[in-house]
Amino acid sequence: MADKKPGGLADVVAGETAICTVGHEGEELHYRGYSVTDLAEHASFEETAYLLLYGSLPHDTELKRYRRTLASLRQLPPDVLAILERLPGTAHPMDVVRTGCSALAVFEPEEAGRSQTAIADRLLACGASMLLYWHRYHRTGIRLETASDSEEESAAAHFLRLLHNRRPDELHTRAMDVSLILYAEHEFNASTFAARVTASTLSDLYSAVTSGIGTLRGPLHGGANEAAMELIEAYANPDEAEQGILQRLAGKERIMGFGHRVYKVRDPRSDIIKTWSRRLSDQAGDRRLYDVSERIEQVMMREKRLFPNLDFYSASAYRLMGIPTAMFTPVFVLSRISGWAAHVFEQRAGNRLIRPSAAYTGPPPSPWLPIEHRM
Ligand code: COA
């Protein structure tokens, strides 16, 4: 890969955090000291969110209580449902989640004495409800019941059940659970930094999360998983993909789902989601997307020394779970709310306004120019 360009705050240490390390030990990722590889192997998303938000892994009873708390918070106020109904069915789901988060702030404001942890739990619990209530209503006219169907229903099972209107099978539920773990947190990435900047002005948690959602939407950040899907789906087979990618590279196109600002050699999350994409393909008896993806990976390594990031194999995994492409980045939101909120708590605990300086590149000071003398 070419040398990194200046700018973009690359390699700038912009603050301290005890939540996460990216690429410090080899090319590993740790949440509060625990490797993401171990979390994806052994933990659930709820356990991971608890770790991020509350600082340590929960005991058995704490985890049960936490699952029950989240499962009890999935319904939305009628006024928020009415707003979701008024949004156009053609809206981008990221706009829907961003608006839903903002709307909830109006009806359940932080200023009314709600604790920051209660709000984080609420947003984590009902993000999927917003997205899928809107989705179902605009496609079928049905007003979806978003409450959990059991007292410990997981976020993964809740999302897939609401999307498909049936209980998901075990493989899909665990694949989604792992995906939520992998997307939960990533240090000072663009959206988390945006959330911290918002929190540093002493604004409310909903505003910080809304800033995060807006920042995540772009294709250089969370939007890359949607762009990667469009790319992969454009090819019927691996040979076609190879030709297509070579052409795009010759045209200096950026291939979404490849490269990373911090990782230099590999994204540890990619290997994990790749394994899940393979399992889902085998279960479906359909390897097309996986084989096309693998060939693109090989070409990108051979031609550009670029490796896939988490977004690349998430695309085929999500498609195999029947998730519409426009919902890929919103799913990222449902998970990353945990990381954003943990960072807001940390920012607040040692707050100082985030307000950097800029190197000025404009004209030198000049005398006032009356309007009649302007050219
Ligand atoms: N496809 C093709 N070339 C890429 C590339 C990609 N996905 N990612 C980086 N490069 C190239 C750039 O063209 C640039 O080459 P140049 O200097 O000849 O123009 C060089 O590598 C450095 O890229 P740069 O954008 O300066 O690096 P960065 O650290 O600012 O960018 C990303 C990091 C993630 C924004 C970048 O790799 C990218 O755009 N990836 C695709 C989007 C994506 O997957 N985002 C999700 C990230 S988790």
Side-chain angles (χ1 to χ4, degrees):
M1 185 168 154
D3 282 344
K4 292 274 167 73
K5 291 181 206 140
L9 297 180
D11 302 322
V12 171
V13 175
E16 294 184 342
T17 184
I19 300 170
C20 177
T21 54
V22 175
H24 286 203
E25 299 79 16
E27 293 285 277
E28 248 298 1
L29 166 65
H30 289 85
Y31 299 168
R32 297 201 185 273
Y34 294 98
S35 140
V36 78
T37 310
D38 284 341
L39 290 165
E41 183 73 31
H42 305 293
S44 62
F45 173 65
E46 283 71 16
E47 229 171 333
T48 305
Y50 188 101
L51 171 69
L52 292 170
L53 292 165
Y54 296 93
S56 59
L57 285 170
H59 300 303
D60 190 41
T61 44
E62 285 169 333
L63 182 58
K64 279 204 178 86
R65 202 181 319 127
Y66 192 51
R67 281 180 175 282
R68 282 189 194 136
T69 302
L70 294 181
S72 71
L73 295 171
R74 308 242 194 251
Q75 283 170 305
L76 296 165
D79 288 319
V80 172
L81 297 179
I83 289 170
L84 293 170
E85 290 180 14
R86 293 296 300 275
L87 300 178
T90 51
H92 191 286
M94 278 299 272
D95 295 337
V96 173
V97 179
R98 196 191 57 235
T99 305
C101 174
S102 234
L104 195 65
V106 176
F107 299 104
E108 299 179 5
E110 186 164 20
E111 288 80 5
R114 285 180 179 81
S115 72
Q116 58 181 7
T117 48
I119 293 170
D121 291 348
R122 175 74 166 129
L123 284 172
L124 261 185
C126 75
S129 305
M130 291 172 186
L131 179 66
L132 295 166
Y133 182 90
W134 165 83
H135 177 73
R136 185 72 63 81
Y137 179 78
H138 287 284
R139 264 142 207 86
T140 65
I142 291 170
R143 295 188 160 94
L144 188 65
E145 173 49 70
T146 61
S148 263
D149 70 350
S150 70
E151 27 167 46
E152 287 188 34
E153 187 182 37
S154 69
H158 179 247
F159 172 80
L160 290 172
R161 183 176 60 78
L162 261 47
L163 176 63
H164 296 308
N165 204 21
R166 59 171 187 275
R167 281 210 173 152
D169 72 20
E170 252 179 57
L171 190 80
H172 283 210
T173 309
R174 184 57 188 152
M176 176 52 67
D177 202 36
V178 169
S179 165
L180 295 175
I181 292 169
L182 299 178
Y183 270 128
E185 162 57 15
H186 217 220
E187 197 220 45
F188 277 22
N189 60 88
S191 58
T192 301
F193 195 62
R196 285 191 79 129
V197 170
T198 304
S200 84
T201 70
L202 302 184
S203 187
D204 67 302
L205 180 52
Y206 295 99
S207 295
V209 170
T210 308
S211 301
I213 298 172
T215 310
L216 189 72
R217 195 185 193 296
L220 293 190
H221 193 4
N225 54 15
E226 294 178 26
M229 187 73 262
E230 280 154 22
L231 177 83
I232 297 161
E233 274 184 329
Y235 304 117
N237 57 56
D239 289 343
E240 216 182 85
E242 175 148 5
Q243 290 315 312
I245 295 298
L246 289 173
Q247 271 171 17
R248 285 173 194 257
L249 290 178
K252 300 258 173 259
E253 253 186 70
R254 206 164 269 245
I255 307 301
M256 295 303 165
F258 283 86
H260 199 270
R261 171 59 69 76
V262 182
Y263 300 122
K264 306 279 189 290
V265 181
R266 69 182 190 108
D267 178 339
R269 304 165 300 174
S270 173
D271 298 344
I272 301 169
I273 200 67
K274 183 177 176 182
T275 305
W276 280 98
S277 173
R278 169 91 188 250
R279 283 181 189 142
L280 292 162
S281 305
D282 289 345
Q283 187 205 41
D286 179 359
R287 286 278 295 267
R288 181 175 79 87
L289 293 176
Y290 184 85
D291 290 345
V292 165
S293 302
E294 219 174 25
R295 182 68 71 84
I296 296 175
E297 180 184 358
Q298 288 159 7
V299 175
M300 288 300 285
M301 185 44 73
R302 189 183 72 215
E303 301 293 322
K304 297 283 288 182
R305 311 299 309 160
L306 282 172
F307 51 87
N309 56 52
L310 171 59
D311 291 322
F312 189 65
Y313 281 97
S314 295
S316 49
Y318 283 4
R319 171 60 77 253
L320 288 155
M321 284 188 263
I323 303 173
T325 306
M327 279 194 196
F328 288 9
T329 320
V331 173
F332 190 157
V333 170
L334 305 183
S335 159
R336 186 56 64 86
I337 286 170
S338 58
W340 290 329
H343 278 273
V344 170
F345 299 173
E346 189 179 60
Q347 180 65 36
R348 286 175 167 180
N351 190 54
R352 185 161 188 225
L353 177 71
I354 298 176
R355 199 294 188 197
S357 302
Y360 180 66
T361 58
S366 37
W368 173 245
L369 198 57
I371 197 158
E372 60 277 15
H373 294 159
R374 292 177 208 163
M375 304 291 283

